[in-house]
Amino acid sequence: QPSSYLTANSEFGYGDHHAKGNYIIIGNSDYLTDFSVDKLLEFVNTGNTLFISDYYFAQRIHDTLSIDVDFEYNSKKDSISHLSFQNKNLNAITIDKNEGDYFFSSFDSINYTILGHAKTDKKRVNFIRVPFGKGNIL
């Protein structure tokens, strides 16, 4: 759990230094306890960055950030998905024989920044930057 690391490296934990920088979670973030999510959000709130790449997030993340994730099934025989960044200087990729794409079906489009898209039949947002306190969640 991230809470063990972040508590150990906090001012009031049993560590003697503060965790600073980036925390990266790739896959299986739905195991996070509410306590771990709170510790991660405190970490971000103080000016750090949290990067999560997953299909499903812990419910507390959905609730706190007011986001929803959905899945678009690719029913076409060729099943091609196009993944791209908002920044056109970054390379896009095409995935053949892709079953479908996860995307953000609901998020704060005014305060959150769109960073990437997934496109099968329709272009959908699949990568966002969420400002949180002094930091960001990607």
Side-chain angles (χ1 to χ4, degrees):
Q1 289 285 344
S3 57
S4 298
Y5 172 77
L6 294 171
T7 299
N9 292 290
S10 68
E11 182 178 2
F12 301 108
Y14 52 87
D16 58 358
H17 65 283
H18 298 278
K20 292 184 180 176
N22 304 311
Y23 199 98
I24 299 172
I25 299 173
I26 299 176
N28 299 321
S29 64
D30 59 342
Y31 75 92
L32 295 172
T33 64
D34 286 351
F35 183 68
S36 277
V37 171
D38 290 343
K39 288 297 175 189
L40 285 167
L41 294 175
E42 287 174 22
F43 172 74
V44 174
N45 190 49
T46 61
N48 298 297
T49 300
L50 170 62
F51 175 88
I52 302 177
S53 176
D54 204 349
Y55 301 114
Y56 304 102
F57 303 109
Q59 188 60 46
R60 192 171 195 96
I61 292 173
H62 283 272
D63 294 343
T64 303
L65 304 181
S66 297
I67 59 171
D68 287 315
V69 175
D70 206 348
F71 181 78
E72 176 188 23
Y73 177 70
N74 192 344
S75 61
K76 290 186 174 180
K77 192 174 186 176
D78 60 5
S79 62
I80 294 174
S81 291
H82 303 280
L83 305 177
S84 62
F85 291 101
Q86 190 72 13
N87 182 336
K88 301 302 179 198
N89 293 323
L90 299 173
N91 292 335
I93 188 170
T94 299
I95 300 174
D96 193 8
K97 296 181 177 57
N98 191 21
E99 185 175 294
D101 294 300
Y102 286 88
F103 63 94
F104 290 101
S105 55
S106 175
F107 64 95
D108 181 344
S109 60
I110 294 172
N111 296 307
Y112 297 1
T113 305
I114 297 171
L115 300 177
H117 299 90
K119 180 179 181 256
T120 49
D121 290 336
K122 182 178 179 184
K123 190 174 183 180
R124 300 178 187 269
V125 175
N126 72 343
F127 188 22
I128 57 176
R129 180 177 60 85
V130 178
F132 193 88
K134 296 179 182 174
N136 291 289
I137 301 170
L138 304 171

